[in-house]
Amino acid sequence: MSRFASIGAAVLALGCSLPAAASETAFVNVNVVAMTDDTVQRNRTVVVRDGRIAVVGPVASTAVAADAAIVDGTDRFLMPGLAEMHAHVPGAGSADLARVLTLFAVNGVTSVRGMLGQASHLGLRQRLAAGELLGPRLHTSGPSFNGNSVDSPRQAADMVRAQHRAGYDFLKIHPGLTRAEFEAMARAAGELGMRFAGHVPDDVGLTLALELGISTIDHLDGYMQALVPPREDPSGGFGAFFGLLLAPAADVDRIDELARATLAAGVANVPTQTLFEHRVGPDDPDALANWPEMRYVTEATLRRWVATKNELLADPAFDEDTAARAIAIRRQLIRSLHDHGAELLLGSDAPQVFNVPGFSIHRELALLVECGLTPYQALLTGTVNAARWFGSSEHAGTVEAGKQADLVLLDENPLDDIANTRRVHGVMLGGRWLDRARIDALLARYAR
């Protein structure tokens, strides 16, 4: 047995298997949030065959096979599965893998972009795509390019070529690269048609990252630095957590200019606003630790998250007013990027500080609405926009015939209130249906 096969068998033993797909499943009399526009198609039947949507039609005139599995959609809302575009997936041998994959799936996250890849993820990606494991589809980077993994422009280029040969989907950039190393990486990636995404190293800066074709900027990294006029850095060159300490000197009048430059470069942003606000916002760490979803992380993880926030709050350089201004600037930037047409992608950086896999994506959607997006516009970031980035019918992003059957059935309309994305009645992963009873049983397995 291969190493990947043995790992897969161990995961299956943990109860991470998917139910078998019915030859045909029909969602009958359901309201469809197709995400092709901001309306609801009412009283529809959606037929799924062989893992794809076969028919979307009026309930009165859409035929259903006699042996089809029937899901009653009355007064419920069917929408595409969501994508978590900044996820951290444990290694295939991790004892925590089944928990993370399950928490994503039962929350309606049917695709994830793994932002810290490793060799084991290549086999894991295949098994998830084949429906052999319970979890979302995986689109994975390779190991990150950073100040420790790269020591020269030549090595940066060689690392690009090695990851391309290995079959990773894209390259992940972390801080620490020099300008020359970043440029060499970007050239090699361009020659191979391989995208790179992630952080903006300090030696590179936002403008050059845009010029060299970074595919996505995650965490709005580099924007706060770009808003600070030259020679006005109050932090002495240490901007702290995504430029937090630079907020007092940031020139907000330049936000629209940066948004226009981002659009012109064709670069998307994954804001991960939950990560920033949970880390530096005014909420007491103990209050965050009592959120309902915290029961699904280990006690040790929760203690570590609380300690991380307490450490920041105790730092003499930390100031609540500066943090509040940084949050407001980032929210303004998100709205400006959206208003100018620069693409936003849904991502929360789970599992990270107080971001529980799956649950945190709903908090990220809520923050996007607080930034000024409508519920429909916020949902686009995790459906249509994500599918466009993936560039594959596997990540369809809409409820239409021929598209992959990665679907979420909700008890209430998410276009009325974004909080309704939490009202998950069931999830379909590649044509395999998880009803509410199965979801509750899976959650109970991981609850403390």
Side-chain angles (χ1 to χ4, degrees):
M1 178 181 289
S2 71
R3 182 168 63 92
F4 289 136
S6 63
I7 289 170
V11 173
L12 287 169
L14 292 172
C16 197
S17 58
L18 271 167
S23 59
E24 180 172 305
T25 301
F27 298 87
V28 178
N29 198 34
V30 72
N31 301 306
V32 176
V33 182
M35 293 307 297
T36 53
D37 57 35
D38 62 354
T39 63
V40 176
Q41 302 172 23
R42 297 192 179 272
N43 307 118
R44 293 295 195 266
T45 289
V46 178
V47 178
V48 173
R49 297 190 195 104
D50 300 322
R52 292 190 177 272
I53 299 170
V55 181
V56 179
V59 66
S61 59
T62 302
V64 177
D67 61 347
I70 303 297
V71 179
D72 183 7
T74 303
D75 296 328
R76 297 192 174 100
F77 296 80
L78 188 69
M79 64 168 284
L82 294 166
E84 163 64 89
M85 296 297 284
H86 194 113
H88 288 274
V89 178
S94 170
D96 209 34
L97 176 63
R99 176 199 300 268
V100 170
L101 294 178
T102 299
L103 293 179
F104 278 131
V106 300
N107 278 281
V109 174
T110 58
S111 298
V112 299
R113 191 175 69 147
M115 295 299 289
L116 194 58
Q118 54 179 273
S120 72
H121 287 167
L122 297 172
L124 180 62
R125 178 184 63 189
Q126 181 178 349
R127 295 178 67 81
L128 287 165
E132 297 174 14
L133 303 179
L134 191 159
R137 300 177 190 276
L138 175 61
H139 197 89
T140 184
S141 78
S144 81
F145 290 67
N146 59 69
N148 294 321
S149 65
V150 176
D151 61 15
S152 71
R154 180 175 179 176
Q155 188 206 359
D158 287 344
M159 191 169 165
V160 171
R161 289 186 279 269
Q163 292 197 10
H164 183 265
R165 287 193 301 272
Y168 291 106
D169 297 303
F170 65 102
L171 311 172
K172 166 64 184 290
I173 310 305
H174 260 133
L177 295 184
T178 66
R179 175 173 178 148
E181 290 164 349
F182 190 92
E183 289 176 335
M185 175 277 303
R187 281 195 303 273
E191 291 168 0
L192 295 170
M194 198 170 189
R195 292 178 292 184
F196 54 97
H199 293 250
V200 175
D202 289 339
D203 197 40
V204 175
L206 179 66
T207 298
L208 184 60
L210 295 176
E211 290 176 359
L212 293 178
I214 193 169
S215 179
T216 72
I217 294 174
D218 293 60
H219 319 295
L220 301 177
D221 198 13
Y223 281 88
M224 193 73 77
Q225 290 86 340
L227 289 172
V228 175
R231 296 178 297 281
E232 290 191 22
D233 180 354
S235 73
F238 179 65
F241 188 59
F242 298 121
L244 167 66
L245 300 182
L246 303 177
D251 180 3
V252 296
D253 290 338
R254 294 196 61 226
I255 286 178
D256 288 346
E257 174 190 338
L258 295 183
R260 288 190 293 269
T262 304
L263 172 64
V267 173
N269 268 270
V270 189
T272 68
Q273 188 69 359
T274 46
L275 176 70
F276 192 82
E277 296 204 18
H278 295 169
R279 182 82 175 269
V280 311
D283 295 301
D284 181 84
D286 291 329
L288 297 176
N290 282 313
W291 282 350
E293 64 260 39
M294 296 303 158
R295 75 186 73 176
Y296 302 113
V297 299
T298 66
E299 190 69 40
T301 296
L302 192 56
R303 284 198 303 269
R304 185 168 66 251
W305 288 354
V306 170
T308 296
K309 178 150 188 174
N310 278 328
E311 182 180 349
L312 176 67
L313 297 177
D315 191 318
F318 179 79
D319 174 78
E320 290 184 0
D321 291 338
T322 296
R325 177 171 168 80
I327 289 171
I329 289 171
R330 288 174 59 95
R331 289 190 174 200
Q332 185 178 344
L333 177 58
I334 290 169
R335 177 61 186 267
S336 181
L337 288 165
H338 171 266
D339 288 351
H340 284 87
E343 196 150 89
L344 296 175
L345 297 171
L346 183 65
S348 66
D349 202 345
Q352 291 286 352
V353 180
F354 299 112
N355 277 358
V356 180
F359 293 92
S360 59
I361 214 67
H362 301 291
R363 294 189 180 276
E364 186 76 20
L365 284 167
L367 283 180
L368 290 177
V369 171
E370 288 185 35
C371 291
L373 278 66
T374 67
Y376 173 71
Q377 291 165 345
L379 288 171
L380 285 173
T381 68
T383 56
V384 173
N385 294 2
R388 186 179 298 118
W389 194 89
F390 287 129
S392 167
S393 61
E394 289 186 351
H395 307 276
T398 57
V399 183
E400 296 179 281
K403 298 299 182 72
Q404 193 74 41
D406 293 339
L407 303 165
V408 186
L409 186 63
L410 302 174
D411 286 330
E412 299 291 344
N413 186 359
L415 302 183
D416 288 342
D417 185 342
I418 199 62
N420 288 335
T421 60
R422 303 169 189 251
R423 302 284 304 277
V424 175
H425 187 80
V427 178
M428 177 166 275
L429 296 160
R432 293 168 171 84
W433 175 241
L434 298 177
D435 62 18
R436 188 66 233 184
R438 178 73 185 273
I439 288 172
D440 287 340
L442 289 166
L443 286 172
R445 179 178 300 161
Y446 295 112
R448 280 188 288 110

